[in-house]
Amino acid sequence: MPEKMQGILARVKQLPEKCREKQLPPERIVAALLASLMFSYIFALGANGNFASYNDYYLNINFATFFTAAILSAAILIGSTWLSKCSRIIPWALIASSVAVSVMVAANYPSAEIVPGTSYYGDPAAWVSANISYVCFAVGIGVFDFIVVKWLVRDDKLGIGGITVDRRITLIAACLLFVVMTVLFGWFTSLKYRSFNNHAFDFGIFAQMYERMAVSGLPETTLERSYLMSHFGVHFSPIFYLFLPGYWIFRSPIYLFFLQSAVVAGGVFAIWLIAGKLGLSGKMTLALELIYAFYPCLMNGTFYDFHENKFLTTVILFLFYFIISKRTLWTFVFSLLLLSVKEDAAIYLICIALFVMIYRKEVLRGAAMLAMAVVYFVIANNIIASVGTEGVMMDRLGDYFINGEKTYGSVVKTIFFDAGYLIKQCFKAEKIPFILWMFAPVVFAPFMTKKVSALILLLPILPINIMQSWIYQSDVDFQYTYGVAAMILMSTIFVVIRLKTDTKRVIVMTSVILCLVMTAALVYPKVKRNQGMYQQMSTAYGENGLSDMEALCASVPADATVTASSNVAPHLYQVKHLYIIMHTYDALREQGIKDGKAVGTDTDYYVIDTRYDSTEMKTQMGSDYIKTQTAGSLELYERR
């Protein structure tokens, strides 16, 4: 064999050893190639906005550019590692590029196929199919990221063990997350209102209620049941008064959107306090803050109107902080605050009390909390029954009534004597996506415990969500997830801090990524939808069109009686006697008349949005009204 050839073969044989010396073993080279592919995807996806349509994407993609980007990225990663002998360049590039691609794909693909919370509720079969496809899509992305994280955690390829994060940095991070979440989500959720696309149910109810609280001190509304009544006759939520001073200052329904976002975002401070009390590292604290900020059902749910349920998460987390801190007075203050959110919040406190008694072995404190919850639940239910006409909304547990017996006792008997029926009702096909949305983001960590008592915190998910026949209770686009979210997050924290180091890192890192991915999948389509609605209205009615529509609504006297299109009702929040036409409430309207209550039938004004079918409203008006104002898509009619 020629001497030159022998030299070449010798250098080839030495290459594996040379690569290892330069921190480039075969698996890291493969990782570099995968990372370079991810960078090409980022470039291609960014350049082709409609990549949710694979035909358009394929036709528009420049393959020469795609492979050139991949080759250059691989050369840069491998070359920089070879020259610097730094083993962490490629792992960090891989995790960064993988997360970026995952979020881009999750955020954009569903917007072309499945938009949650829109048009599926009239067709349960279509809703189930779409929701299952949607969550499986998000989880599927997470599986890829989980594999990447597993490889990175082995031998600590990212060097996380050597990274320290000062607790002051985690507090700054919490403050930044709070401000960003409050401002961004307050703004994006308010766009739906600004474009006249919020409706009486449910935003109009709370807009009118807060204005009446500011005027009379009472939570009055006519929208809820078609006659003047207290909202506390439907749900007992005295916590609303805590935020009334802010409404006095801003005096606009838009305040409610920013308030809601701020209250939800405020839970990040509870996470920071809990992590400190448990002695967690700065890295773990920062990771938990990110998990909270991007946990899918939290900020996602703010896009559906305004509800008291959304106060639950932050209140429950602060309650846990005081429990862990063993600060008795504040424990009971926040227990009372939790109960004041809503009558069924007692369920959360009962489970927390059991957790305190059984898991934490603080029997006396837990027993006092339990007694407090039970007594309050009875009182709250009696208040609802005395103030309202329908009592507590028991119909949502209608699947458990025995021979028409609409009582909690009937529900308990059904559950106790027929556990098989309970399992059948809880694990229907339409409930599975909800379970995945709630537990997949934390990698099912609450179940990774040997202590069965730790599962007590998960009990509320049964009566609040998956036992219910009301389809919205098990849908993360609505308001019924917030208390359960807090319980799942706390259960995750209690379990994860007891895991081995590598397992802990895999779970926490994967959870951060899954939360980012699943929140992007849920939230980004809604952001685009709200922006699109606002832009459409601004374009259709000119620069001042929306402000003219607001001025028309503001011109209606507060002491008048008004019938309005459902989407206009929230903008007439100042009107005491405000009604909409809705077939569902015909019976309630008739009952109100029989009971001698002020019911909207012939009103002083009608406000109609011409974008929607107003035939029924105009038929009811007859010829007794004359059009007096027009602004944008709105028409104001006044009695002759």
Side-chain angles (χ1 to χ4, degrees):
M1 182 181 294
E3 185 176 340
K4 187 175 182 180
M5 183 63 70
Q6 288 178 348
I8 292 173
L9 289 174
R11 283 194 292 272
V12 170
K13 289 180 181 179
Q14 293 172 359
L15 189 58
E17 184 61 34
K18 191 71 172 175
C19 285
R20 279 190 287 272
E21 179 187 330
K22 297 291 187 179
Q23 302 298 326
L24 282 168
E27 65 174 13
R28 194 163 280 125
I29 293 174
V30 172
L33 295 176
L34 181 57
S36 66
L37 181 62
M38 293 297 107
F39 283 122
S40 290
Y41 280 138
I42 292 170
F43 182 80
L45 295 174
N48 295 276
N50 191 27
F51 60 86
S53 171
Y54 73 93
N55 281 319
D56 293 342
Y57 175 74
Y58 183 82
L59 290 172
N60 293 327
I61 193 170
N62 187 314
F63 291 100
T65 304
F66 182 91
F67 287 110
T68 299
I71 293 168
L72 284 175
S73 298
I76 291 170
L77 290 174
I78 292 172
S80 59
T81 301
W82 181 280
L83 293 172
S84 66
K85 295 183 181 180
C86 179
S87 63
R88 289 171 190 155
I89 294 174
I90 291 172
W92 277 105
L94 178 59
I95 189 65
S97 59
S98 297
V99 172
V101 170
S102 298
V103 170
M104 291 177 74
V105 169
N108 284 274
Y109 269 90
S111 63
E113 302 170 12
I114 308 162
V115 179
T118 54
S119 59
Y120 297 102
Y121 297 105
D123 186 347
W127 179 83
V128 171
S129 176
N131 211 2
I132 289 175
S133 298
Y134 196 50
V135 71
C136 287
F137 168 76
V139 171
I141 297 171
V143 169
F144 166 77
D145 292 313
F146 174 76
I147 294 169
V148 171
V149 169
K150 282 279 288 183
W151 179 76
L152 292 171
V153 167
R154 194 179 71 217
D155 302 325
D156 193 15
K157 295 179 179 65
L158 295 172
I160 291 176
I163 298 174
T164 57
V165 178
D166 189 270
R167 186 157 168 78
R168 288 173 297 181
I169 299 298
T170 62
L171 177 58
I172 292 171
C175 292
L176 288 174
L177 287 170
F178 172 76
V179 171
V180 170
M181 291 166 71
T182 299
V183 173
L184 284 183
F185 287 95
W187 172 256
F188 285 126
T189 55
S190 70
L191 287 179
K192 188 176 178 182
Y193 173 83
R194 294 171 191 268
S195 60
F196 282 74
N197 282 293
N198 275 112
H199 286 262
F201 290 84
D202 292 337
F203 188 71
I205 293 171
F206 295 107
Q208 186 189 33
M209 183 200 75
Y210 254 103
E211 180 63 19
R212 293 307 305 159
M213 287 169 65
V215 172
S216 68
L218 299 175
E220 297 172 320
T221 171
T222 52
L223 289 174
E224 195 147 28
R225 291 295 183 267
S226 288
Y227 53 79
L228 187 65
M229 64 171 294
S230 170
H231 175 68
F232 290 176
V234 178
H235 294 300
F236 186 58
S237 304
I239 196 171
F240 282 133
Y241 283 99
L242 187 63
F243 306 105
L244 182 56
Y247 184 81
W248 279 330
I249 295 171
F250 295 101
R251 209 59 178 263
S252 167
I254 292 175
Y255 161 76
L256 302 181
F257 294 105
F258 285 90
L259 165 66
Q260 181 168 262
S261 296
V263 171
V264 175
V268 74
F269 293 116
I271 293 291
W272 182 79
L273 289 168
I274 289 167
K277 186 55 64 174
L278 293 174
L280 302 184
S281 68
K283 290 176 295 188
M284 178 63 75
T285 301
L286 185 58
L288 291 175
E289 289 173 356
L290 291 172
I291 289 170
Y292 178 83
F294 293 102
Y295 187 68
C297 76
L298 293 179
M299 299 316 294
N300 174 62
T302 62
F303 282 84
Y304 181 62
D305 294 347
F306 172 87
H307 295 89
E308 67 281 342
N309 303 65
K310 294 165 190 175
F311 304 151
L312 287 168
T313 312
T314 296
V315 173
I316 289 173
L317 291 176
F318 272 104
L319 173 58
F320 270 106
Y321 167 69
F322 292 119
I323 290 170
I324 295 167
S325 304
K326 296 186 177 181
R327 297 171 69 175
T328 303
L329 175 61
W330 284 105
T331 294
F332 285 100
V333 167
F334 270 79
S335 293
L336 184 60
L337 191 61
L338 170 58
L339 292 171
S340 71
V341 173
K342 200 177 179 183
E343 66 280 353
D344 60 10
I347 294 172
Y348 300 110
L349 188 58
I350 287 170
C351 293
I352 293 170
L354 293 173
F355 178 82
V356 170
M357 294 170 67
I358 299 171
Y359 185 88
R360 293 181 59 84
K361 312 298 183 186
E362 299 174 19
V363 178
L364 191 59
R365 180 181 299 189
M369 293 168 67
L370 180 63
M372 184 179 182
V374 172
V375 170
Y376 188 93
F377 184 72
V378 173
I379 293 172
N381 276 267
N382 285 331
I383 290 173
I384 293 171
S386 62
V387 174
T389 57
E390 301 170 69
V392 179
M393 291 180 162
M394 289 292 296
D395 56 307
R396 298 181 183 183
L397 290 168
D399 289 342
Y400 302 89
F401 294 157
I402 301 173
N403 296 325
E405 182 188 341
K406 299 181 180 181
T407 63
Y408 288 114
S410 175
V411 175
V412 171
K413 284 185 285 187
T414 300
I415 294 171
F416 184 81
F417 291 107
D418 197 345
Y421 180 76
L422 172 64
I423 294 171
K424 176 186 173 184
Q425 293 301 114
C426 289
F427 295 96
K428 292 179 177 179
E430 60 263 30
K431 306 292 177 69
I432 302 303
F434 175 78
I435 294 171
L436 289 174
W437 282 119
M438 298 303 292
F439 288 103
V442 292
V443 202
F444 292 88
F447 300 101
M448 300 177 188
T449 178
K450 296 178 181 179
K451 298 185 71 172
V452 178
S453 57
L455 300 177
I456 292 172
L457 294 181
L458 305 182
L459 290 179
I461 200 171
L462 288 171
I464 297 294
N465 302 108
I466 62 177
M467 275 178 59
Q468 302 258 4
S469 55
W470 185 245
I471 191 172
Y472 307 109
Q473 300 274 162
S474 55
D475 189 332
V476 294
D477 283 328
F478 294 89
Q479 67 269 24
Y480 304 106
T481 60
Y482 285 81
V484 170
M487 305 295 262
I488 289 173
L489 289 170
M490 282 310 308
S491 178
T492 298
I493 292 171
F494 286 131
V495 169
V496 165
I497 60 177
R498 289 173 170 77
L499 297 176
K500 294 180 180 178
T501 301
D502 279 2
T503 304
K504 185 188 302 182
R505 286 178 181 170
V506 170
I507 296 300
V508 172
M509 287 180 64
T510 303
S511 181
V512 171
I513 296 170
L514 268 169
C515 286
L516 280 167
V517 167
M518 297 179 86
T519 291
L522 286 170
V523 168
Y524 186 62
K526 295 183 179 69
V527 169
K528 291 208 303 184
R529 181 189 65 195
N530 284 13
Q531 285 182 311
M533 289 189 297
Y534 184 77
Q535 185 61 45
Q536 183 181 26
M537 287 292 289
S538 298
T539 302
Y541 300 106
E543 185 178 345
N544 298 319
L546 291 174
S547 59
D548 290 342
M549 292 166 69
E550 290 287 2
L552 182 150
C553 292
S555 70
V556 178
D559 59 352
T561 58
V562 182
T563 300
S565 298
S566 179
N567 64 296
V568 182
H571 300 264
L572 293 162
Y573 62 95
Q574 80 278 10
V575 178
K576 180 177 181 179
H577 294 281
L578 176 63
Y579 308 95
I580 62 170
I581 294 177
M582 193 173 183
H583 294 300
T584 309
Y585 287 91
D586 282 349
L588 291 169
R589 190 188 295 267
E590 291 172 8
Q591 184 60 47
I593 295 171
K594 291 177 183 177
D595 294 342
K597 296 175 179 174
V599 174
T601 49
D602 297 319
T603 55
D604 300 325
Y605 295 89
Y606 274 78
V607 186
I608 294 175
D609 191 331
T610 57
R611 292 178 296 163
Y612 300 93
D613 182 13
S614 55
T615 304
E616 187 176 1
M617 292 182 69
K618 289 186 176 180
T619 299
Q620 181 171 301
M621 277 197 301
S623 59
D624 295 334
Y625 293 80
I626 184 171
K627 187 193 299 185
T628 57
Q629 283 190 60
T630 300
S633 61
L634 301 188
E635 294 178 344
L636 175 65
Y637 292 83
E638 186 174 353
R639 191 192 301 274
R640 292 179 187 274

